[in-house]
Amino acid sequence: MSLTEKGPVSSGNNSTTQTTPLLGSEKSSTAIEVPKYADEFSSLPPKEAQILRDQVVVPEFKANFFSVFRYVTTKDVFLLVIALTSGIIEGCARPLMTLIFGFIAQTFTDYYRYDPSTYQMYYNGTYSDKYYYNGTLFDKNITSLDNTTDYLYSDGKDYEYFSFMENYISPEEFTRRVNQLALYFVYLAIGDMILSYIEMFIFIDRGEVLSARIRENYLKATLKQNLGYFDRLGSGEITTRISADTLLIQESISEKVGFIVSNGASFFASFALGFYRSPKLTGIMVSVATFILTTFFISSGKMTKYYKLALNGVSTGGSVAEELLSSVRNVQAFGIQDRLSVKYDRYLAVSEKWAMRAGMAAGVMTGAMWLGVFTNDSLAFWQGSKFLARDELDVGQLITVLMAMVQGTYAISNISPHVRSITNGIAASSKIFQTIDRTPAIDSSISTGVKLPEVRGDMELKNIKFIYPSRPNVTVLEHYNLSIKAGTTVALVGASGSGKSTIIGLIERFYKALEGEVLLDGVDITTLNIKWLRRQIALVSQEPTLFSCSIFENIAHGLIGTSFENASEIEKRELVLEACKQANVTDFVNNMPEGLDTNVGERGFLMSGGQKQRIAIARAIVSNPKILLLDEATSALDTKSEGIVQEALDRASKNRTTIVIAHRLSTVKDADNIVVMSKGKILEMGNHNELLELKGEYYELVEAQRIHKQKEEMIAALQGSSSSSLSYSDGIESILDEKADIAEEDEKAHFLQLHKTKTGKSVSSIAIGDYEDLETEKTPGFWSSLAFILKLSGPENKYNLLGAFFSGILGLSYPSLGLFYGRCLEAFRAYPQDPEFMLHEVEIFSGLFFMIAITSFFSALISLSLFAYAGQKLVRRIRLMTLRQMLRQDISYFDKDENTVGSLTSTLSRDAQAVEGLSGATLGQIMSSVMIVFSSIILALIVAWNLGLVATATVPILLSAGFYRFYILAKFQQKAKKSHEASATYACEATTGIKTVQALTREEDVLRNYHAELEHQVTTSRPATHYSAGLYGVAQGVIYLIMALAFWYGSKFLYRREYSLFQFYVTFMSLVFGAQSAGIMFSYAPDMGRAYQATQNIKNLLELQPQIDAWSEEGDTPENVKGKIEFKNVHFRYPTRPQVPVLRGLNLTINPGQYVALVGSSGCGKSTTIGLMESFYTPLAGEILLDGKDISEFNINRYREQIALVSQEPTLYSGTIKENIQLGSVEEVTDEQIYDVCKQANIHDFIMSLPDGYETLCGSKGSLLSGGQKQRIAIARALIREPKILLLDEATSALDSESEKIVQEALDNAAAGRTTIAIAHRLSTIQKADVIYVFENGKVLESGTHQELLANKSKYYELVQMQALEGGA
């Protein structure tokens, strides 16, 4: 049993299970049991096991910080060196501030040590008449002081030069020194502004450029992987990696690096300055720095580990979300939104658990930082004062060393919140670089390999043994031999799962055979160049993949690798037009306003199934390939289209080797050789007539598809008629595409059966005119966004409040710091005259510093842990609510260009992650910064209101710069969102259609377009980066200007002795650190900008009210449903194409218990009718009735419970077969009920033949099952619902004849007692219908039973004739 997705699935009764690291430890409550796959190949021979292992195994990649810079060029290195140099210089300049601070502190201390106005000396904490000389205190009155000679006269004696007078400065000298030192702060400010701007701009810009290169290389690596790799990887995971994970990498190499570099440089420069000024004191304080760094590295390592595990949960959940969003019609039809959302939530729970642990690690790290910062102050003052008392250093040196150490440890504490971004980026990069570094078993990008000079087209499969790497216990082909001569057509027929599509996969080299070889013109294809080989082959798959571009561009993709690849557009258009004619594309294209330039929509959703298939066929034949592979190429076509396309394919098959897989045998009767397969072996071979004569397996298949005997007689009677009956008049040929074609507005009134108003508008046109689009997107303001998030995090707000309380306590540490600093610095005035008093005072406040350290440690730890808990709960809630809200929307919401699956998946992962950027460590830092700013201002105004008022006035300048930066980044994020979504959608589309991309060798073309998208993103983001970096520089420089102003203006009060040193230092320290904290707060402006934009997106989405609301409890509950359905004059146009009429007054009645069939050409409105019955859309006019009551009056969920839908393209979900079938039922079902419906759908025996039976994994979107197997499981899922109304939209199109016959009988039986509406192109499946409605141009053209319609000899008669097999086959 293989693990094909990382989903929470059961492994069956017999398989061994283990707990993967992704989903928690074995003891963890969130651990989820998943199948063990480490030894899944152990049962095979070593050689075979290795071949399979090579196709799926992804090597581990141990990422580090430097690995994310692997794509730097010489230019990048040059610019990054400039940025690094600027950051280092800017960081080193900060300790210079401490040097200036030391000089100013010395100046202030010297000036305040003696008061010349009173001739008093500062002693024992106050001014007194004592004076100090040669270590002796004198109690005598000072009679005079000679300022010229600095001699003291007392008691008539002339004392010698006093030692304390050596440092005395006059008021004039005091003013001169302060002014000069304040000017140095101005110089520092200018330098810091310039350096910060250069550093920040380059780091942000290069971050954009390098992350774009990583995205590009990731997509490049993904596109070259062998298909076995994708069997275990959902396209949603790829989208998550390319949008969300690369964004994390971008953050880790952008401005965060700038912050860390400048703060790191500041840390080391601070210590260098400290050692220069006082090696002894600095050496002692290194112990604290060592403690901080040790904690820092241990905690960051834990954070990286935990975030990596958290990201795994998110990305795996992304695949589940992508599955749901890409099949939203199926999800809504079965009402399984909540059940599948719970599955998604299980992965979110895993991510939440690990992210919470990472948040706690961040709390420990940040707490340790604050513990270190304040312990540093405590140690410096305590030990420094002792050195000062012993004359080992002066006050200036002590203050410089102390401030340098504070600056250094403060720098480290600033680093800690940004480390999370770095660790996130490293964790995210490991998965991305795993893919980039993986060497595929079949590498489509390599240039080596033989290129044959000429290709004839002989193909041979010799002794092939094949097993899919995702299902190693099931042998698909064994000892398989098949020879195909050049220029011949070989048809492969047989039951689903017999190995037909596998042969095409081997010829295209999508997979490796375990034994044997595949030969092209006698050369083993493993020796050929892969791209060259694939360019000789054209493939048309059963489920055609188109790309979101014009019809012309889609078809022109077939020219890649040919001589016309770089031809002029005129030449290409000629080739494309010719291919369109051959593939019957021209008819519907000519009816479109933009013709070939019409966009097909994401995955071709604007085209009907038949139109998509015809475009794919045109793409295949445009290059005139040597080998043509048709895997059910006409399965999605109606009979009319199939006739012409088949004729085109027959012409295209001439002179080239063609391999056809077909369940509809009418398409292969002219093949040169028909190979009948079963369970990987050939049962019989020969042409159509030879195999019929054998009356073996093929004969039985043909019999299963025989149209009723009466039809044969009708055809026989027409044998002599002109073949012109197969041609189409212009009237019949006009096709109204229900999604894309534009009908002629001037069609005849009787043909439209629609009376026009005097203005010439139809009923639907008037309805469209009255319809107002209520989904105009509003832009909520900042406060409403904040209120919205607070409301959203309601259950955790008590934790947020508690976290805010502890952040507040942490914030109060800085005003306390100012108070204690002021007292300590004031105590230094007592030196040298009163060292005992100085030491006593400093010891008290050193103890208080340590008290702050302990308090701050616990405050940071508790607040960050609480914020992490609340933040992760919020993120999980947002992700789940966003997905549920998306699944709640009307189907028309998903038809819009901006709401592609890739875009929505990207939004789902990115927006919640952005909101997370404002939680945890970041939110804690912001909250404490806010508290620091306000408490510092209040304290400053209380202690020294004059100085406080002036200094406070400068804070708004700093805040304005920060806020304006935030505003610019928020605006930029709005634009960036759209461009990121566009590129993510493009990448998602390419990886979802990987098989088609590789078959067309479109890898380089995809990468070229993706490169252009990314280049545009980088270019448009540059102006915003300039503004952002400039404002950051201003915010950084303003801090020094505030210091300059505070010292200069404060010195005026000190000069006049209006304030004491204590008052000045309290005010200065509080406001300066308050301003710095404000600066730090706005260093998170990018995070805040992203979070603000994300909140707007989430708010807009969650407030979006669908017209048809699955959450609504309103409406009646259908009771005693009989199943009568009526369409009364129904008009409809798709909301995304309001100018295109689809249904034009549709009237039909389906009585209870009737089996009704809807037939007609592609695009005539059949699928739209089914969509309206499911209430996916609301009619513009008219009404749809169930048992005589308008369906709009019913509760939508209760109404849909009466209906089961089986679509043309079956949708399964990752998980087991059993889980997929259970999704069909509203209530719990027993195993016996599941077995019963599987027997009815002819899938039970196949499931039981699998090693794990009903516990077998289906793979992402059912990728591990064949089309027929998926369809039968989908039918079983519909039957278990026990619906009153059964809707079959081409329900048997993917089945082989044998299965179809049995399933059709099961469906016929299942139809008993319930109303059944079937859409079918294969008329043999609906000939027993009670009523057949023939659609054309959005109306019913004719109706009746099979025989009645044949007798009419109209449209239905023609369709039947075209589907007949020649020779009565």
Side-chain angles (χ1 to χ4, degrees):
M1 171 98 192
S2 64
L3 180 72
T4 55
E5 68 268 347
K6 304 175 183 70
V9 294
S10 170
S11 61
N13 297 329
N14 300 323
S15 57
T16 308
T17 61
Q18 68 170 3
T19 307
T20 63
L22 159 62
L23 302 171
S25 64
E26 292 184 8
K27 295 178 182 177
S28 167
S29 60
T30 54
I32 301 171
E33 294 295 312
V34 296
K36 181 176 180 178
Y37 58 89
D39 298 316
E40 60 184 329
F41 305 114
S42 58
S43 60
L44 298 170
K47 184 184 174 186
E48 294 181 4
Q50 192 56 46
I51 290 171
L52 294 177
R53 200 173 285 119
D54 288 344
Q55 293 180 71
V56 293
V57 169
V58 180
E60 281 295 316
F61 179 86
K62 291 201 178 291
N64 57 54
F65 176 66
F66 295 103
S67 60
V68 295
F69 288 94
R70 66 160 66 178
Y71 296 115
V72 293
T73 62
T74 308
K75 178 185 175 183
D76 297 325
V77 171
F78 175 71
L79 290 171
L80 287 170
V81 165
I82 291 174
L84 279 168
T85 306
S86 300
I88 290 166
I89 295 171
E90 192 261 333
C92 290
R94 290 179 200 168
L96 291 178
M97 177 271 290
T98 68
L99 193 63
I100 300 166
F101 195 109
F103 289 140
I104 289 180
Q106 184 69 58
T107 302
F108 284 0
T109 304
D110 290 346
Y111 182 68
Y112 258 73
R113 185 173 289 137
Y114 175 70
D115 186 351
S117 62
T118 60
Y119 300 104
Q120 289 184 324
M121 176 69 66
Y122 190 81
Y123 175 73
N124 200 23
T126 185
Y127 286 99
S128 73
D129 294 335
K130 294 176 184 282
Y131 54 87
Y132 173 84
Y133 175 68
N134 279 345
T136 307
L137 282 170
F138 291 85
D139 226 351
K140 304 289 182 183
N141 289 329
I142 300 174
T143 55
S144 66
L145 176 68
D146 187 343
N147 283 333
T148 309
T149 60
D150 286 342
Y151 274 73
L152 184 72
Y153 298 87
S154 179
D155 293 335
K157 296 181 181 178
D158 186 2
Y159 287 96
E160 295 178 14
Y161 185 77
F162 277 75
S163 59
F164 77 89
M165 297 302 295
E166 291 174 9
N167 297 320
Y168 170 72
I169 54 173
S170 66
E172 293 75 18
E173 177 64 15
F174 171 75
T175 303
R176 187 191 69 77
R177 286 190 192 178
V178 170
N179 289 348
Q180 186 179 21
L181 291 168
L183 204 57
Y184 290 152
F185 277 119
V186 175
Y187 299 150
L188 267 181
I190 295 167
D192 202 318
M193 284 180 186
I194 295 168
L195 291 168
S196 293
Y197 163 74
I198 293 170
E199 170 200 17
M200 206 46 53
F201 172 74
I202 293 175
F203 273 124
I204 296 174
D205 184 61
R206 288 303 100 185
E208 281 269 3
V209 171
L210 293 175
S211 65
R213 282 189 204 142
I214 290 171
R215 285 187 183 100
E216 195 174 338
N217 279 280
Y218 177 67
L219 183 60
K220 182 180 179 181
T222 303
L223 293 179
K224 75 177 183 179
Q225 297 302 321
N226 54 284
L227 282 189
Y229 170 80
F230 294 93
D231 290 344
R232 287 191 176 157
L233 195 72
S235 55
E237 181 166 342
I238 294 169
T239 308
T240 302
R241 299 265 178 237
I242 213 161
S243 56
D245 288 8
T246 51
L247 202 62
L248 292 174
I249 294 174
Q250 183 177 328
E251 283 183 19
S252 73
I253 56 178
S254 297
E255 70 269 14
K256 310 291 185 188
V257 179
F259 296 140
I260 289 172
V261 165
S262 55
N263 281 298
S266 184
F267 173 77
F268 288 109
S270 297
F271 274 83
L273 181 63
F275 277 111
Y276 169 72
R277 294 291 281 165
S278 175
K280 200 171 179 181
L281 181 58
T282 306
I284 291 169
M285 294 172 72
V286 163
S287 59
V288 178
T290 306
F291 163 73
I292 291 173
L293 287 173
T294 304
T295 313
F296 178 83
F297 285 114
I298 292 171
S299 299
S300 62
K302 290 287 183 187
M303 284 167 66
T304 305
K305 175 188 171 184
Y306 294 145
Y307 276 120
K308 188 174 177 181
L309 291 167
L311 283 171
N312 282 343
V314 173
S315 60
T316 310
S319 277
V320 174
E322 196 268 346
E323 272 189 331
L324 305 188
L325 293 169
S326 63
S327 62
V328 69
R329 284 168 175 80
N330 197 71
V331 170
Q332 290 197 4
F334 282 92
I336 52 179
Q337 299 96 317
D338 288 343
R339 277 186 278 175
L340 292 176
S341 295
V342 167
K343 182 178 177 181
Y344 175 65
D345 191 44
R346 292 181 73 183
Y347 294 106
L348 298 184
V350 174
S351 180
E352 176 192 80
K353 169 193 158 185
W354 292 114
M356 281 181 184
R357 290 193 183 182
M360 289 183 70
V364 170
M365 182 170 73
T366 308
M369 297 300 162
W370 291 116
L371 179 64
V373 166
F374 294 121
T375 302
N376 204 47
D377 291 334
S378 175
L379 183 61
F381 277 115
W382 180 72
Q383 186 60 52
S385 62
K386 295 184 184 302
F387 288 151
L388 186 64
R390 297 202 295 264
D391 288 330
E392 293 182 24
L393 46 71
D394 59 27
V395 172
Q397 287 174 306
L398 172 58
I399 294 301
T400 297
V401 171
L402 171 60
M403 292 297 289
M405 293 301 99
V406 170
Q407 184 73 49
T409 48
Y410 187 74
I412 287 292
S413 70
N414 287 347
I415 285 174
S416 63
H418 301 302
V419 170
R420 175 186 166 180
S421 296
I422 303 294
T423 55
N424 273 359
I426 294 168
S429 72
S430 62
K431 283 281 183 185
I432 285 174
F433 288 126
Q434 267 182 16
T435 303
I436 291 174
D437 290 347
R438 182 179 187 265
T439 303
I442 303 165
D443 190 348
S444 61
S445 67
I446 56 174
S447 56
T448 56
V450 178
K451 296 179 183 179
L452 302 178
E454 187 182 355
V455 177
R456 296 189 306 278
D458 288 319
M459 294 295 309
E460 187 176 1
L461 289 86
K462 292 175 70 175
N463 199 32
I464 294 290
K465 180 180 180 182
F466 180 79
I467 294 174
Y468 280 101
S470 51
R471 193 176 292 139
N473 298 325
V474 180
T475 303
V476 180
L477 299 176
E478 192 157 21
H479 306 304
Y480 188 89
N481 291 280
L482 178 64
S483 182
I484 303 165
K485 291 183 181 177
T488 62
T489 298
V490 171
L492 306 177
V493 299
S496 293
S498 59
K500 305 184 299 295
S501 296
T502 301
I503 289 166
I504 282 183
L506 288 170
I507 291 171
E508 281 274 13
R509 280 205 71 195
F510 290 147
Y511 294 96
K512 272 187 174 182
L514 300 185
E515 289 178 9
E517 52 188 358
V518 182
L519 306 176
L520 171 61
D521 292 346
V523 179
D524 189 339
I525 63 169
T526 58
T527 64
L528 299 175
N529 178 272
I530 295 175
K531 277 193 177 173
W532 177 87
L533 170 68
R534 288 175 180 165
R535 283 169 180 170
Q536 312 310 309
I537 302 169
L539 170 65
V540 182
S541 299
Q542 183 177 345
E543 295 173 6
T545 299
L546 299 186
F547 301 98
S548 184
C549 53
S550 68
I551 295 171
F552 167 74
E553 289 170 310
N554 266 288
I555 297 172
H557 287 151
L559 295 170
I560 292 171
T562 69
S563 56
F564 296 101
E565 181 179 1
N566 300 312
S568 67
E569 188 167 327
I570 296 170
E571 286 180 276
K572 282 186 178 180
R573 279 196 176 266
E574 287 176 6
L575 292 166
V576 168
L577 282 168
E578 183 57 36
C580 287
K581 286 175 188 173
Q582 289 185 40
N584 193 23
V585 173
T586 312
D587 291 342
F588 69 82
V589 166
N590 287 343
N591 287 328
M592 296 179 178
E594 297 176 45
L596 280 173
D597 295 318
T598 303
N599 195 295
V600 302
E602 189 194 16
R603 304 182 195 184
F605 85 90
L606 293 177
M607 303 286 115
S608 70
Q611 290 165 346
K612 284 196 285 185
Q613 194 66 284
R614 280 178 275 173
I615 293 169
I617 291 167
R619 180 175 64 194
I621 61 179
V622 71
S623 63
N624 197 24
K626 291 289 184 184
I627 300 165
L628 192 59
L629 305 178
L630 306 174
D631 188 354
E632 283 287 328
T634 59
S635 66
L637 301 183
D638 56 87
T639 309
K640 179 167 113 180
S641 302
E642 184 192 20
I644 292 181
V645 172
Q646 191 58 48
E647 192 181 332
L649 289 174
D650 291 343
R651 288 199 306 271
S653 299
K654 301 295 181 189
N655 303 318
R656 64 166 58 92
T657 306
T658 307
I659 299 171
V660 183
I661 293 177
H663 290 142
R664 209 180 299 183
L665 302 182
S666 59
T667 62
V668 299
K669 58 188 173 56
D670 294 327
D672 299 303
N673 191 16
I674 298 171
V675 180
V676 184
M677 294 175 60
S678 178
K679 296 180 181 176
K681 294 180 181 176
I682 296 173
L683 299 180
E684 53 190 23
M685 281 195 296
N687 62 34
H688 176 69
N689 292 325
E690 289 170 354
L691 292 176
L692 283 180
E693 288 171 12
L694 286 175
K695 293 203 173 180
E697 197 74 23
Y698 182 73
Y699 177 80
E700 290 179 15
L701 292 173
V702 171
E703 283 298 304
Q705 281 189 11
R706 185 183 296 277
I707 301 282
H708 195 271
K709 199 169 185 178
Q710 187 177 351
K711 183 217 63 180
E712 293 181 29
E713 291 168 4
M714 181 69 71
I715 294 167
L718 295 165
Q719 287 297 318
S721 66
S722 170
S723 61
S724 63
S725 63
L726 291 173
S727 66
Y728 298 88
S729 66
D730 291 339
I732 294 173
E733 211 172 50
S734 63
I735 298 167
L736 172 66
D737 177 1
E738 61 191 87
K739 291 185 180 175
D741 291 1
I742 304 295
E744 297 286 337
E745 282 299 325
D746 59 354
E747 289 185 66
K748 296 177 182 177
H750 75 274
F751 184 71
L752 286 171
Q753 296 180 351
L754 183 69
H755 295 290
K756 300 205 173 185
T757 64
K758 290 179 182 178
T759 58
K761 290 186 179 180
S762 65
V763 173
S764 55
S765 297
I766 295 165
I768 283 284
D770 293 338
Y771 176 74
E772 290 184 5
D773 185 9
L774 301 175
E775 293 179 11
T776 51
E777 195 169 283
K778 300 171 186 173
T779 305
F782 175 79
W783 295 111
S784 65
S785 296
L786 186 64
F788 169 73
I789 283 295
L790 287 173
K791 184 181 176 183
L792 210 57
S793 59
E796 287 78 48
N797 275 344
K798 56 186 176 185
Y799 299 107
N800 282 323
L801 281 171
L802 204 55
F805 172 74
F806 281 103
S807 285
I809 291 174
L810 184 63
L812 288 172
S813 59
Y814 267 116
S816 305
L817 181 80
L819 284 169
F820 300 163
Y821 256 87
R823 290 300 297 269
C824 287
L825 289 170
E826 191 173 48
F828 288 155
R829 285 194 301 162
Y831 173 78
Q833 61 271 25
D834 193 358
E836 292 299 324
F837 172 77
M838 177 191 74
L839 290 172
H840 175 70
E841 284 281 294
V842 169
E843 278 176 4
I844 292 170
F845 288 100
S846 294
L848 290 173
F849 271 121
F850 190 67
M851 180 196 73
I852 294 179
I854 299 297
T855 307
S856 298
F857 171 75
F858 286 108
S859 297
L861 174 61
I862 294 168
S863 68
L864 292 192
S865 297
L866 288 170
F867 282 135
Y869 175 81
Q872 290 308 319
K873 286 285 183 188
L874 175 64
V875 167
R876 178 181 174 184
R877 187 176 298 116
I878 286 174
R879 282 202 167 109
L880 185 59
M881 287 177 71
T882 305
L883 178 64
R884 291 185 73 241
Q885 180 72 359
M886 286 174 179
L887 296 176
R888 174 195 182 193
Q889 296 308 308
D890 294 319
I891 296 297
S892 56
Y893 173 82
F894 299 91
D895 293 341
K896 294 179 181 177
D897 290 341
E898 65 268 26
N899 295 329
T900 60
V901 175
S903 167
L904 293 175
T905 309
S906 174
T907 299
L908 195 62
S909 59
R910 190 191 57 247
D911 282 354
Q913 190 171 286
V915 173
E916 187 186 4
L918 262 186
S919 62
T922 310
L923 183 60
Q925 184 74 50
I926 290 169
M927 293 293 290
S928 59
S929 293
V930 169
M931 179 59 80
I932 290 168
V933 170
F934 286 106
S935 59
S936 297
I937 288 172
I938 291 166
L939 181 65
L941 291 174
I942 290 170
V943 173
W945 71 269
N946 295 45
L947 177 58
L949 206 58
V950 171
T952 300
T954 63
V955 175
I957 299 170
L958 189 68
L959 294 176
S960 299
F963 182 78
Y964 190 57
R965 181 171 184 243
F966 160 70
Y967 172 77
I968 284 175
L969 286 168
K971 284 286 185 189
F972 166 65
Q973 285 300 324
Q974 209 166 354
K975 292 179 183 176
K977 175 182 176 279
K978 291 183 179 176
S979 57
H980 277 296
E981 277 180 1
S983 61
T985 297
Y986 188 79
C988 180
E989 182 185 59
T991 52
T992 303
I994 185 65
K995 187 183 288 188
T996 306
V997 170
Q998 291 191 350
L1000 291 169
T1001 64
R1002 247 203 92 200
E1003 296 95 333
E1004 289 175 14
D1005 178 52
V1006 168
L1007 288 169
R1008 265 197 307 274
N1009 293 332
Y1010 189 60
H1011 175 78
E1013 288 266 9
L1014 295 176
E1015 195 70 34
H1016 176 70
Q1017 276 176 218
V1018 170
T1019 307
T1020 52
S1021 68
R1022 212 155 262 155
T1025 305
H1026 276 294
Y1027 284 121
S1028 172
L1031 289 166
Y1032 173 76
V1034 169
Q1036 289 295 101
V1038 164
I1039 294 169
Y1040 295 117
L1041 294 177
I1042 290 172
M1043 286 186 181
L1045 177 65
F1047 274 123
W1048 175 79
Y1049 188 68
S1051 69
K1052 305 294 182 191
F1053 294 102
L1054 295 178
Y1055 174 83
R1056 297 191 297 271
R1057 298 181 184 265
E1058 291 179 23
Y1059 288 149
S1060 66
L1061 281 182
F1062 170 73
Q1063 287 175 295
F1064 174 81
Y1065 279 125
V1066 168
T1067 306
F1068 176 81
M1069 297 296 286
S1070 298
L1071 279 173
V1072 166
F1073 283 116
Q1076 277 190 321
S1077 291
I1080 289 166
M1081 183 169 64
F1082 282 104
S1083 72
Y1084 295 100
D1087 296 327
M1088 292 161 74
R1090 277 190 285 270
Y1092 175 54
Q1093 178 59 43
T1095 304
Q1096 286 184 332
N1097 299 339
I1098 293 162
K1099 190 172 189 289
N1100 284 331
L1101 176 62
L1102 294 184
E1103 290 177 353
L1104 197 61
Q1105 290 293 325
Q1107 194 177 359
I1108 303 166
D1109 191 356
W1111 291 3
S1112 173
E1113 294 298 323
E1114 296 177 3
D1116 302 333
T1117 300
E1119 293 177 355
N1120 302 318
V1121 175
K1122 294 174 183 175
K1124 183 178 180 180
I1125 294 175
E1126 294 173 86
F1127 276 66
K1128 289 189 174 180
N1129 198 30
V1130 172
H1131 292 258
F1132 180 74
R1133 301 183 183 198
Y1134 282 95
T1136 49
R1137 290 291 179 95
Q1139 75 277 29
V1140 184
V1142 179
L1143 297 183
R1144 307 178 179 192
L1146 178 66
N1147 289 285
L1148 59 84
T1149 301
I1150 301 166
N1151 290 316
Q1154 274 193 331
Y1155 190 125
V1156 172
L1158 310 180
V1159 300
S1161 305
S1162 289
C1164 64
K1166 304 186 301 294
S1167 293
T1168 300
T1169 305
I1170 293 284
L1172 288 170
M1173 286 183 197
E1174 275 283 4
S1175 202
F1176 289 153
Y1177 302 94
T1178 304
L1180 292 174
E1183 54 185 358
I1184 303 166
L1185 308 177
L1186 172 64
D1187 293 344
K1189 190 170 183 177
D1190 195 318
I1191 63 170
S1192 62
E1193 295 177 18
F1194 292 120
N1195 176 274
I1196 187 63
N1197 293 316
R1198 304 293 83 78
Y1199 168 71
R1200 283 177 179 162
E1201 283 173 9
Q1202 314 302 318
I1203 302 172
L1205 171 67
V1206 181
S1207 302
Q1208 183 176 345
E1209 295 177 5
T1211 302
L1212 299 185
Y1213 302 98
S1214 55
T1216 65
I1217 293 173
K1218 181 180 177 181
E1219 288 169 347
N1220 269 281
I1221 296 170
Q1222 284 173 331
L1223 289 173
S1225 176
V1226 181
E1227 300 169 353
E1228 288 292 322
V1229 290
T1230 63
D1231 288 351
E1232 287 69 27
Q1233 287 174 289
I1234 293 173
Y1235 299 155
D1236 184 49
V1237 292
C1238 286
K1239 285 171 184 173
Q1240 289 181 51
N1242 190 31
I1243 192 71
H1244 178 74
D1245 292 340
F1246 165 74
I1247 295 172
M1248 295 307 292
S1249 71
L1250 296 169
D1252 294 307
Y1254 280 85
E1255 300 300 331
T1256 300
L1257 295 171
C1258 297
S1260 178
K1261 299 181 187 176
S1263 60
L1264 299 180
L1265 300 169
S1266 71
Q1269 290 158 0
K1270 285 195 287 184
Q1271 191 65 286
R1272 280 180 280 170
I1273 291 171
I1275 291 168
R1277 180 174 61 197
L1279 293 177
I1280 205 163
R1281 197 172 180 80
E1282 297 184 352
K1284 298 293 182 183
I1285 300 163
L1286 188 61
L1287 304 179
L1288 307 173
D1289 188 356
E1290 285 287 330
T1292 59
S1293 64
L1295 302 181
D1296 55 88
S1297 301
E1298 187 180 342
S1299 300
E1300 182 190 22
K1301 181 180 177 182
I1302 299 168
V1303 171
Q1304 192 59 49
E1305 285 176 12
L1307 289 174
D1308 291 344
N1309 295 333
R1314 60 168 61 98
T1315 306
T1316 305
I1317 298 103
I1319 293 177
H1321 291 143
R1322 207 179 307 180
L1323 303 181
S1324 60
T1325 63
I1326 50 95
Q1327 56 179 306
K1328 293 179 184 177
D1330 298 313
V1331 182
I1332 298 170
Y1333 286 98
V1334 182
F1335 277 58
E1336 183 144 292
N1337 291 340
K1339 303 188 307 295
V1340 175
L1341 185 68
E1342 57 178 344
S1343 64
T1345 64
H1346 175 66
Q1347 290 85 352
E1348 288 169 354
L1349 291 175
L1350 284 176
N1352 283 346
K1353 292 190 179 180
S1354 184
K1355 180 69 179 288
Y1356 183 76
Y1357 164 80
E1358 186 180 1
L1359 295 173
V1360 167
Q1361 183 195 12
M1362 285 189 295
Q1363 220 170 80
L1365 289 170
E1366 286 185 3

